[in-house]
Amino acid sequence: MRGPGSGEISLRTLLQVALSRIAGWMWTGLWAVWALNPGMAQRKVTLSGYVREAASGEALLGASVYLKENLKGTTTNTYGFYSLTVEPGQYTVVVSYIGYRNFSQVVDLTRDLTLSVELQKVAVEAGAVEVTDERSRQNTESTRMGTVELQMEDVKKLPVLFGEVDILKTLTLLPGVQSSGEGNSGLYIRGGGPDQNLVLLDGAVVYNASHLFGFFSVFNSDAIKSVNLVKGGMPAQYGGRLSSVVDITMKEGNLKRWEVEGGLGAIASRLTVQGPLVKDKLAVIASGRRTYFDVLAKPFIPKKSPFRGSGYYFYDMNTKLHYRISEKDKLYLSGYFGRDVFSFVNREVGFRAAIVWGNATTTLRWNHQFNKKLFSNLMAVFTDYKFRFEGDQNNFRFKLFSGVRDYGLKADFNYYPVAGHDVRFGAEYLNHKFTPSNITFASQITDVKPPEPILYFSNEASAYASDDWDVTQRLRVNLGVRATFYAFNGRFIRYVKDALGATVDTIYYSRHQLIKPYFRAEPRLAARFKLNEWASVKASYTMNWQYIQLASRATISLPFDVWLPTTEYVVPQFSQQVAVGYYHNFWDDMLETSVELYYKPMRDLIEFQDGADPAQTLNSNIDNTLVQGKGKAWGAEFFIRKTRGKWNGWIGYTLAWTNRTFPQLNEGRTFWAKYDRRHDLSVVLSYDITSRLNVSAVFVYATGNTLTLPKNLYFIEERLVTEFAERNSYRFAPYHRLDLAATFVLTRPQKKFFSSLSLSIYNVYSRLNPFFIYYNSSGNLTEGTFKLQARQVSLFPIIPTITWNFKY
Amino acid sequence: MSKAIKSMEATIRLFFLVVLTLLWSGCEKDITVELPQGEKKPVVDGRLFSGDYPRVWITYTFPFFTPLQGINIYDPNSIAQFLALDAEVTVSDGTVTEYLSLVLDTTYFPPVFYMGDTIVGQPGRSYFLTIRLHGKTYTAVTTIPPIVALDSLRWKPEGQLDSLGPCNLYFTDPPQYGNIYRLFCKRQGYVHYRPIFDPSVLDDQSFNGLRIEFPFYRPDPKNFVFYNSDTLTAQEQRERFYWKRGDTIYVRFCTIDRPAYEFLRTFEESANTSGNPFSNPSSVKSNIQGGAMGGWVGYGAFDIWTVAQ
């Protein structure tokens, strides 16, 4: 046994080195930005301010602000702030945002000016579709690639399962994003696994984004404002995951008036209250949702049943406080709390079990505008994912606990030195605590005492800087770099194993003792070249490192799966992505089209060894059972989206490949990944028949998931054992489905009370899509009647649901 | 303890299945799957208990959907295609080497196996198995660890069930790490000991040096592929898995070495998850060299019995 050695570098020294390096990089970056700035000496003036929604005062992010005379422009940041620095003169300022009436005003810019704008929503009136002269042209203008933003209002019009609007399911309708069908809310983006997505709710990581083993996502649609998905060309402010960012912003709370909205659905109900505690100063929003299968099922369980007391439900709550201290300072406090609760009782055999799991997140955020060019956002985040199982039978009692707890600080700065440069820089720090599986076990005999659970502690710090720079009228580039420092540290006990799994050494690390540090730098590059007013070509290169991962043994994600950090045994996952794309807008920007090609090599991905026993965590480390290998993903994505008019929607098609090569799996031969999918097509259409009646349809088609099939059988100890064929060498039948929905507004437009009825039909032609295959045995060997039959199980046939929604 | 976790995992999976059953109701259908053709490989199931002669069953793998209907599995002629009856099998303890010869036992499947009559398993010794079959040689080695004795057995009724319950066994694990156990048991009147429900193997990593209470249930007298569990009467169904008041319970408590443990653990895991859609296909870690499946396991056996009362 070894103790903490002398002469080892302490964590503090390393952190100091890391911080000084990071600071060095940042200064170099900033200096470069200034050096690139040609007209610094010339006098310039700055136009800055906020863009908000008129009715509620909510900030509008990504709204375009530009000057008609020289076509210099920018977009608002996440908090609705913009800043433009140009030569003095008279300009026409145009502010536009999809679904809102354009704002335009002539300003005399002789000195710095603040202009905050409130945009009016375009009323959807029968036969009178607003035609505006200026449109937002994000598709062809920005350097961003592989990025899609969805507004909750559009998402809510689409057909849903059991009346529950599900933002993650909607994301799977976009090209390059796959779900593995029903019963799994994991996202598989451009060939990456479900743990390679950074799911953020108001800046806090959500570790398990699903309820009921993946049937529903944890995001209550009434509390969500928008979702931004980044599947390629990840900007420097994001990091820590290989494949994507799902950045979800909660509503800020109405600063103008009180609003109550809610819905009664087939399995769950929702209620949201928001309004100003102090008008235009302090707003609050609180939103809750709970399912009621347990309540509905209760009358059907007889009083004498040994199972009485068993049940399942989930609930979640979102709250946010928004305090506008001044025009320049805003404070937000937001939180999410959700739990799934399952209880199982069998009195006959004296067995009771309870399984409870869920996330809690808290974000405290302070927006501060230092001056007209510098905007800052400081955040303190806390997130906690817990899974708890408790069971007892007779005198045996066992408890299992696993979870992840993070707290972190983030500082993000937007700096607008001059029109044509949007500089963003900042730093992040996260502290993780992982509890892979903590088991306590008690019986009548008192000396059976489990050893201390092994926790995993780690620290992650990063700094980034990027500049979105208009080099010429046609060429815009986004140059960025992200530097990360990760440390796996004590307290920790390492059990060193031999090839057969016997412990040969035990190493004890003390609290905060550094076990293994990793320094990495991630360059991020993106460029847009405008061919003409309507078309552009873009290219991007990103590099990503990922330090935490989900170890999953089952083919679907269960809350039982554990999150694990990079250790001295498991090295961080790494990926690079190159993408090129062509973007073309038609019909006055009403129709956006794009083609993107991507190539993404990855390495040090993780999987469990064959025959690993991850439950064996006592006097063992779970990472002893992991193996690492390479992966590759490539493909093409086609996207056509109609953004305005009575008809809108999109068509997305993806042609993709993704494979894996692990020396210890499949005898070292390359195999298709679980979610390798050749074709993936989604058609999403929505049509406003009248101002009160909207109909929509969704059609999806996807190549079947891969599967490992049995090959041979053999007998050992009078039991049948299966020998499997090549890993993932078989495919399920293709997945396809059509859903329809109609939303009918019951109240008149002028009335304060608004209510609507949504009818959804899921899987209209009742396609029996494969969920899994199992082998059913019948008969027996003794009588010579034994038979194996493959059976395919599908989850949902046609499911119609009605939901009543209201708002006043 | 790993058993407790397994049962938790099982409960979660069960819950998941219950939920799914409620949801899918009726969305199931038979399908035809074109399976890849696998080559036929020999399978070795070799055991050497302390105080007993070596016994080795040698069979072949067969394609997954092979029709097994109309076959009398206890008649070696009708199952000849699954059996390797022409192997040359030797066991050596390092000094003595003996040839094993074919024996017929129609109470077990497969009904023929190779058995010795000279070498008797002894704790602390290693045994070498060599099989020559159709020009190929397969070898394996196993060590019988020192025997660990049980203190006692005690039967207990479960919950509100007055005459049915599990049996507890009590023993003290030796102070050094690395003891691995396998538990066999049977009711009075049965010929063959059977391993307890998976996992029947237990590594002392989580209870090293402690005094242990361990409950075990009654395994089925034969695996379900040999009879239909739905042909059991209501009473048999209720009593299934329990020891009943009045039963004589025979226990064979064994120690095994680590390669044998890896083989048995992965074998049980694999046999258990066959066809389970929620687990990754797992492969068995054989301790046979030369390309055969299966294992060669030496047991340090301690026998004890009690009457449930």
Side-chain angles (χ1 to χ4, degrees):
Chain A
M1 288 185 191
R2 278 182 261 159
S6 58
E8 284 176 37
I9 318 163
S10 79
L11 182 61
R12 179 171 299 177
T13 324
L14 255 161
L15 261 168
Q16 278 166 354
V17 172
L19 284 173
S20 65
R21 266 201 211 185
I22 287 167
W25 281 328
M26 277 179 65
W27 280 118
T28 316
L30 279 174
W31 181 83
V33 166
W34 266 298
L36 288 168
N37 222 331
M40 280 308 280
Q42 207 181 323
R43 196 180 84 88
K44 301 229 171 175
V45 288
T46 305
L47 175 72
S48 63
Y50 292 85
V51 179
R52 299 196 183 90
E53 213 228 324
S56 64
E58 289 256 345
L60 291 176
L61 52 138
S64 124
V65 180
Y66 73 97
L67 308 175
K68 218 172 171 178
E69 285 72 14
N70 62 3
L71 290 174
K72 288 205 165 149
T74 185
T75 53
T76 55
N77 71 9
T78 321
Y79 315 101
F81 177 76
Y82 75 93
S83 167
L84 255 179
T85 300
V86 289
E87 287 88 31
Q90 208 179 52
Y91 295 101
T92 314
V93 184
V94 180
V95 181
S96 67
Y97 191 72
I98 291 178
Y100 289 80
R101 195 168 278 139
N102 280 359
F103 170 90
S104 141
Q105 187 181 324
V106 178
V107 291
D108 204 11
L109 262 183
T110 47
R111 56 200 166 90
D112 291 352
L113 186 72
T114 307
L115 179 68
S116 286
V117 174
E118 292 195 336
L119 294 183
Q120 298 279 353
K121 192 166 253 186
V122 176
V124 186
E125 280 161 32
V129 176
E130 193 112 347
V131 179
T132 46
D133 54 356
E134 304 288 344
R135 294 307 312 173
S136 141
R137 208 170 280 165
Q138 282 283 315
N139 189 41
T140 55
E141 284 289 330
S142 81
T143 52
R144 296 191 307 177
M145 293 186 75
T147 303
V148 186
E149 190 175 323
L150 289 176
Q151 297 300 319
M152 274 326 284
E153 300 206 1
D154 300 330
V155 173
K156 282 184 173 178
K157 285 179 186 166
L158 302 177
V160 291
L161 177 63
F162 294 125
E164 286 304 298
V165 175
D166 189 334
I167 185 67
L168 294 185
K169 286 272 190 297
T170 308
L171 290 182
T172 65
L173 300 173
L174 297 168
V177 186
Q178 304 162 358
S179 83
S180 54
E182 286 110 354
N184 189 339
S185 68
L187 296 175
Y188 301 94
I189 294 172
R190 288 190 172 170
D195 64 333
Q196 295 178 1
N197 308 314
L198 182 67
V199 182
L200 296 173
L201 180 64
D202 270 355
V205 175
V206 177
Y207 279 96
N208 185 338
S210 69
H211 283 302
L212 188 56
F213 305 118
F215 286 99
F216 304 101
S217 79
V218 298
F219 305 109
N220 177 351
S221 56
D222 287 346
I224 304 300
K225 180 162 133 186
S226 67
V227 178
N228 192 26
L229 169 75
V230 183
K231 56 189 177 174
M234 200 185 282
Q237 71 263 29
Y238 296 119
R241 297 291 188 282
L242 299 190
S243 288
S244 82
V245 181
V246 179
D247 195 350
I248 297 172
T249 314
M250 268 165 61
K251 282 184 187 161
E252 293 177 354
N254 196 325
L255 278 166
K256 311 252 176 193
R257 63 186 193 89
W258 283 94
E259 246 180 43
V260 178
E261 80 184 287
L264 287 174
I267 57 158
S269 282
R270 296 164 278 123
L271 188 71
T272 302
V273 180
Q274 58 172 325
L277 292 172
V278 180
K279 202 176 174 196
D280 286 327
K281 204 82 185 144
L282 180 63
V284 66
I285 177 167
S287 185
R289 172 171 71 156
R290 190 196 192 276
T291 61
Y292 31 72
F293 326 102
D294 55 327
V295 185
L296 295 177
K298 209 161 236 169
F300 301 104
I301 302 176
K303 278 213 174 78
K304 290 223 172 112
S305 162
F307 299 106
R308 199 170 168 83
S310 304
Y312 170 81
Y313 63 91
F314 73 73
Y315 63 90
D316 39 38
M317 289 176 292
N318 294 74
T319 51
K320 192 162 182 172
L321 265 174
H322 167 191
Y323 179 41
R324 197 188 279 189
I325 304 167
S326 69
E327 185 67 14
K328 289 186 173 173
D329 289 279
K330 271 158 232 111
L331 209 58
Y332 301 90
L333 179 65
S334 60
Y336 165 82
F337 186 86
R339 285 286 180 266
D340 282 56
V341 181
F342 165 62
S343 49
F344 181 77
V345 179
N346 185 348
R347 278 198 204 87
E348 205 166 72
V349 297
F351 180 71
R352 283 187 307 156
I355 313 174
V356 180
W357 72 96
N359 300 280
T361 71
T362 311
T363 309
L364 177 66
R365 205 169 72 195
W366 174 40
N367 282 175
H368 176 67
Q369 189 191 329
F370 282 97
N371 53 49
K372 306 204 173 288
K373 296 180 176 186
L374 186 62
F375 182 92
S376 76
N377 180 39
L378 297 176
M379 254 196 264
V381 294
F382 169 80
T383 181
D384 190 21
Y385 170 66
K386 281 193 171 96
F387 173 85
R388 191 163 54 82
F389 179 103
E390 277 177 46
D392 64 86
Q393 182 160 26
N394 301 326
N395 296 309
F396 278 89
R397 188 173 298 168
F398 35 86
K399 269 189 206 170
L400 180 142
F401 172 81
S402 73
V404 193
R405 195 273 297 126
D406 282 3
Y407 56 81
L409 290 170
K410 297 182 184 188
D412 180 45
F413 297 89
N414 287 263
Y415 176 60
Y416 308 91
V418 63
H421 283 282
D422 281 6
V423 178
R424 196 158 179 171
F425 59 96
E428 274 179 32
Y429 165 76
L430 274 174
N431 174 289
H432 305 286
K433 182 177 94 177
F434 298 86
T435 314
S437 291
N438 170 7
I439 298 134
T440 53
F441 185 71
S443 82
Q444 277 183 319
I445 292 199
T446 46
D447 69 358
V448 180
K449 233 186 214 155
E452 282 281 294
I454 302 174
L455 303 178
Y456 293 71
F457 295 95
S458 63
N459 290 283
E460 215 177 324
S462 47
Y464 57 87
S466 70
D467 182 19
D468 210 35
W469 174 30
D470 280 314
V471 183
T472 68
Q473 281 280 14
R474 282 168 181 263
L475 180 68
R476 181 188 287 181
V477 293
N478 187 301
L479 301 168
V481 66
R482 187 179 175 89
T484 56
F485 166 68
Y486 171 90
F488 175 53
N489 52 274
R491 168 178 307 131
F492 185 66
I493 305 170
R494 164 63 65 190
Y495 296 94
V496 183
K497 302 280 176 178
D498 67 8
L500 284 167
T503 306
V504 292
D505 195 5
T506 310
I507 308 171
Y508 293 89
Y509 295 98
S510 59
R511 193 172 146 88
H512 297 316
Q513 187 187 354
L514 183 76
I515 303 172
K516 178 82 185 173
Y518 294 92
F519 280 105
R520 298 287 187 263
E522 305 171 3
R524 309 282 174 84
L525 301 168
R528 177 270 285 149
F529 186 77
K530 239 158 94 171
L531 300 170
N532 55 46
E533 210 182 330
W534 310 108
S536 61
V537 176
K538 299 183 195 180
S540 70
Y541 171 79
T542 52
M543 195 189 261
N544 290 75
W545 295 91
Q546 177 166 342
Y547 299 99
I548 64 169
Q549 43 255 323
L550 187 68
S552 169
R553 199 163 52 124
T555 42
I556 56 163
S557 49
L558 294 174
F560 200 78
D561 296 343
V562 289
W563 283 92
L564 283 173
T566 290
T567 61
E568 79 279 30
Y569 278 32
V570 178
V571 299
Q573 302 182 59
F574 173 69
S575 79
Q576 298 177 80
Q577 190 180 148
V578 185
V580 288
Y582 174 73
Y583 303 76
H584 199 129
N585 286 6
F586 296 94
W587 304 342
D588 199 19
D589 296 318
M590 196 191 276
L591 197 67
E592 299 177 345
T593 66
S594 64
V595 180
E596 285 188 27
L597 306 174
Y598 66 89
Y599 176 71
K600 183 164 126 187
M602 300 169 272
R603 64 163 204 254
D604 297 316
L605 303 174
I606 69 157
E607 290 276 355
F608 274 112
Q609 275 169 19
D610 271 344
D613 184 5
Q616 183 58 269
T617 53
L618 294 164
N619 297 316
S620 177
N621 302 108
I622 197 163
D623 56 358
N624 286 327
T625 59
L626 299 173
V627 291
Q628 295 195 283
K630 287 187 294 191
K632 219 182 258 180
W634 65 99
E637 297 167 1
F638 302 84
F639 194 44
I640 303 174
R641 185 180 189 176
K642 186 167 177 290
T643 55
R644 284 175 283 149
K646 289 174 97 178
W647 278 104
N648 57 63
W650 69 81
I651 300 171
Y653 169 72
T654 312
L655 178 66
W657 290 263
T658 178
N659 66 26
R660 299 287 183 268
T661 313
F662 282 69
Q664 293 98 326
L665 299 179
N666 201 37
E667 293 170 21
R669 290 190 299 273
T670 300
F671 54 92
W672 294 118
K674 224 185 287 177
Y675 20 84
D676 172 58
R677 191 175 282 181
R678 206 64 66 242
H679 308 282
D680 198 332
L681 172 78
S682 314
V683 181
V684 176
L685 293 173
S686 165
Y687 181 61
D688 293 316
I689 296 174
T690 69
S691 62
R692 291 170 63 181
L693 182 63
N694 169 281
V695 288
S696 64
V698 169
F699 175 75
V700 290
Y701 175 91
T703 306
N705 285 349
T706 63
L707 170 76
T708 307
L709 280 186
K711 182 167 71 174
N712 285 324
L713 285 174
Y714 57 97
F715 279 97
I716 286 187
E717 293 186 349
E718 295 195 324
R719 293 179 75 173
L720 272 176
V721 188
T722 309
E723 185 195 358
F724 286 92
E726 193 100 344
R727 199 177 171 107
N728 296 343
S729 58
Y730 182 79
R731 272 177 205 282
F732 283 110
Y735 181 100
H736 53 89
R737 193 186 82 218
L738 174 72
D739 307 332
L740 296 173
T743 305
F744 186 67
V745 178
L746 299 169
T747 45
R748 293 186 180 282
Q750 286 76 25
K751 287 273 161 62
K752 251 195 162 178
F753 180 79
F754 168 92
S755 88
S756 69
L757 214 51
S758 294
L759 171 71
S760 249
I761 306 173
Y762 187 87
N763 199 0
V764 172
Y765 54 89
S766 208
R767 155 86 179 167
L768 295 182
N769 284 305
F771 179 50
F772 61 80
I773 290 176
Y774 74 98
Y775 306 96
N776 187 38
S777 64
S778 58
N780 64 69
L781 285 167
T782 311
E783 290 167 2
T785 52
F786 185 78
K787 192 177 172 236
L788 279 168
Q789 173 65 50
R791 288 182 70 77
Q792 176 188 295
V793 173
S794 309
L795 270 184
F796 301 116
I798 179 167
I799 296 180
T801 22
I802 285 188
T803 312
W804 179 67
N805 293 304
F806 66 91
K807 189 174 179 174
Y808 67 87
Chain B
M1 221 159 296
S2 141
K3 179 156 181 96
I5 301 157
K6 282 264 160 62
S7 72
M8 276 183 254
E9 236 184 303
T11 311
I12 296 162
R13 296 224 161 95
L14 172 87
F15 161 55
F16 190 65
L17 280 169
V18 167
V19 172
L20 293 185
T21 316
L22 287 172
L23 292 172
W24 81 56
S25 46
C27 300
E28 237 189 280
K29 63 177 181 187
D30 285 355
I31 55 164
T32 310
V33 182
E34 289 294 320
L35 292 186
Q37 278 301 315
E39 54 168 329
K40 190 171 166 180
K41 285 184 199 165
V43 182
V44 178
D45 180 359
R47 307 164 205 171
L48 178 56
F49 286 92
S50 56
D52 194 8
Y53 300 120
R55 293 156 198 259
V56 180
W57 285 259
I58 307 174
T59 53
Y60 291 110
T61 60
F62 52 95
F64 192 79
F65 287 119
T66 300
L68 291 167
Q69 286 99 320
I71 294 176
N72 178 356
I73 54 159
Y74 295 110
D75 172 7
N77 291 320
S78 76
I79 55 164
Q81 54 170 320
F82 305 127
L83 304 177
L85 301 174
D86 49 355
E88 185 191 288
V89 184
T90 60
V91 169
S92 161
D93 62 4
T95 44
V96 181
T97 301
E98 69 164 328
Y99 282 86
L100 273 52
S101 43
L102 271 179
V103 175
L104 184 73
D105 173 9
T106 55
T107 63
Y108 200 79
F109 180 83
V112 277
F113 62 96
Y114 296 85
M115 192 174 155
D117 57 9
T118 311
I119 291 175
V120 172
Q122 284 174 41
R125 295 196 70 164
S126 296
Y127 296 90
F128 303 87
L129 172 72
T130 306
I131 297 167
R132 284 187 191 84
L133 182 62
H134 302 157
K136 285 190 178 160
T137 305
Y138 308 97
T139 57
V141 59
T142 190
T143 302
I144 299 182
I147 293 168
V148 173
L150 288 185
D151 301 347
S152 58
L153 298 174
R154 196 168 71 216
W155 172 84
K156 255 197 302 202
E158 180 164 280
Q160 300 162 351
L161 306 166
D162 181 48
S163 63
L164 302 171
C167 183
N168 286 312
L169 63 78
Y170 300 84
F171 73 102
T172 305
D173 182 65
Q176 72 282 12
Y177 273 109
N179 298 289
I180 310 170
Y181 305 100
R182 189 167 200 220
L183 183 60
F184 295 89
C185 55
K186 67 178 183 184
R187 220 175 194 176
Q188 73 277 15
Y190 288 87
V191 181
H192 299 283
Y193 276 101
R194 305 211 66 84
I196 58 157
F197 292 111
D198 307 340
S200 68
V201 283
L202 215 65
D203 179 341
D204 73 353
Q205 291 208 25
S206 50
F207 55 81
N208 182 49
L210 300 177
R211 181 161 185 260
I212 295 301
E213 174 189 53
F214 185 85
F216 61 97
Y217 290 80
R218 180 171 62 86
D220 286 325
K222 257 202 190 316
N223 193 268
F224 71 91
V225 294
F226 291 90
Y227 70 98
N228 286 3
S229 59
D230 50 11
T231 59
L232 296 177
T233 64
Q235 182 174 350
E236 283 170 332
Q237 201 62 264
R238 201 173 58 248
E239 294 178 2
R240 195 178 173 197
F241 309 137
Y242 290 114
W243 303 102
K244 197 177 178 178
R245 196 183 291 276
D247 276 350
T248 306
I249 304 165
Y250 292 88
V251 168
R252 175 168 285 180
F253 184 66
C254 299
T255 48
I256 53 172
D257 69 2
R258 193 159 284 277
Y261 168 70
E262 282 299 309
F263 159 65
L264 291 168
R265 182 178 71 76
T266 52
F267 147 64
E268 291 191 340
E269 172 108 5
S270 186
N272 204 3
T273 56
S274 279
N276 179 346
F278 302 110
S279 58
N280 274 337
S282 59
S283 54
V284 181
K285 282 188 196 164
S286 167
N287 68 349
I288 313 282
Q289 308 297 313
M293 323 280 285
W296 166 237
V297 182
Y299 295 97
F302 176 84
D303 289 352
I304 186 173
W305 60 272
T306 192
V307 176
Q309 56 199 349

